[in-house]
Amino acid sequence: MLFHFDSPFGKLVTRLCDLIVLNVVYVLCCIPVFTIGAATSALYYVVMRMCRDEEGNVLKNFFHAFRGHFGQSAALTGIWLGTGSFVLLILYAFNHVDFGIWNNAKYILYFALLIHFVLFTYVFPVFARFDNTVKNTVRNSWHLAMRYPVNTAVVCIINGLPLILAFFLPQVFSYIFFLWFFLLFALQAYWNAGLFRRIFAQFEPQKESEDFANAESSD
């Protein structure tokens, strides 16, 4: 039957409801700001399980990962916010103060901001899938981002398109904001997880507890 839970339509509706619940919980957990990393890692932990049809209880898995990843995720959040804010602050200065010939240096800063966005597009999914140190997580994330440029471009477009639309079409911002709160973050992560899954599978050993860095070194 069309509306039976085991039917394709029923599974689609169930998955959509799970994503909505996951998205709302994620947004609420990001409000303190310093918890963004833990919440993002937990979000990817759950959606990656969804891609393997292992999601189980969405909320239980989310908060399990949120608590387990909190310490290192807080460090990654600090690095992410600190470096991003530093580059944006300097860019603000370049755009409001005349530095003469040095004004051209702002294009280097725009490039640095792009690198920052690309790197941290990978950091939290990598951390959600592989147990590792903060240093190795950042290093491995950069390695994967450069090794798979097509995947990197697609993921960055998925993550960046709503921001671009909101910036260039401010009249649609209210609609995008509504989607962000109820679905968009989880949906973006779910789409990305499908792309990351194929890449991560190459580094996943028989025993999932093995360190990602060791798997990479043997590649």
Side-chain angles (χ1 to χ4, degrees):
M1 295 179 63
L2 178 63
F3 296 101
H4 195 277
F5 282 114
D6 291 330
S7 69
F9 181 76
K11 291 180 179 178
L12 176 63
V13 172
T14 300
R15 181 58 52 84
L16 183 61
C17 290
D18 285 342
L19 288 174
I20 291 174
V21 171
L22 185 60
N23 197 93
V24 173
V25 172
Y26 169 75
V27 171
L28 294 176
C29 287
C30 285
I31 291 176
V33 179
F34 68 90
T35 58
I36 290 176
T40 305
S41 296
L43 173 65
Y44 271 101
Y45 175 81
V46 176
V47 295
M48 286 180 187
R49 289 178 63 94
M50 285 183 173
C51 288
R52 301 193 303 271
D53 294 319
E54 301 173 357
E55 62 265 32
N57 186 300
V58 170
L59 290 179
K60 181 179 179 180
N61 288 330
F62 179 88
F63 286 109
H64 168 76
F66 184 85
R67 291 191 298 268
H69 295 159
F70 189 83
Q72 288 179 300
S73 293
L76 288 170
T77 303
I79 295 171
W80 173 56
L81 291 176
T83 54
S85 298
F86 179 72
V87 174
L88 286 173
L89 183 63
I90 299 178
L91 269 174
Y92 179 84
F94 269 97
N95 287 322
H96 290 80
V97 179
D98 185 9
F99 290 96
I101 193 173
W102 292 102
N103 281 338
N104 291 328
K106 68 181 179 181
Y107 297 108
I108 298 176
L109 294 173
Y110 281 120
F111 181 72
L113 201 60
L114 175 63
I115 295 300
H116 180 271
F117 178 74
V118 169
L119 177 59
F120 282 92
T121 293
Y122 272 82
V123 161
F124 295 111
V126 169
F127 185 67
R129 188 70 185 119
F130 301 99
D131 291 329
N132 218 323
T133 63
V134 170
K135 178 181 177 180
N136 284 338
T137 296
V138 174
R139 184 193 65 189
N140 292 330
S141 297
W142 178 247
H143 171 80
L144 291 176
M146 294 299 99
R147 185 171 179 177
Y148 301 97
V150 175
N151 184 85
T152 299
V154 173
V155 171
C156 286
I157 290 172
I158 291 173
N159 289 344
L161 187 58
L163 293 172
I164 294 172
L165 289 174
F167 182 79
F168 287 103
L169 298 172
Q171 63 270 25
V172 303
F173 178 78
S174 59
Y175 300 104
I176 294 177
F177 181 80
F178 177 83
L179 286 175
W180 260 327
F181 185 82
F182 286 102
L183 182 62
L184 198 54
F185 286 117
L187 189 60
Q188 287 173 307
Y190 184 69
W191 284 337
N192 291 340
L195 299 172
F196 287 131
R197 184 185 177 190
R198 293 193 293 271
I199 294 176
F200 293 170
Q202 302 176 51
F203 301 94
E204 291 173 354
Q206 293 294 323
K207 296 181 179 179
E208 292 190 4
S209 60
E210 184 173 329
D211 185 86
F212 173 45
N214 292 335
E216 179 188 331
S217 65
S218 64
D219 180 56

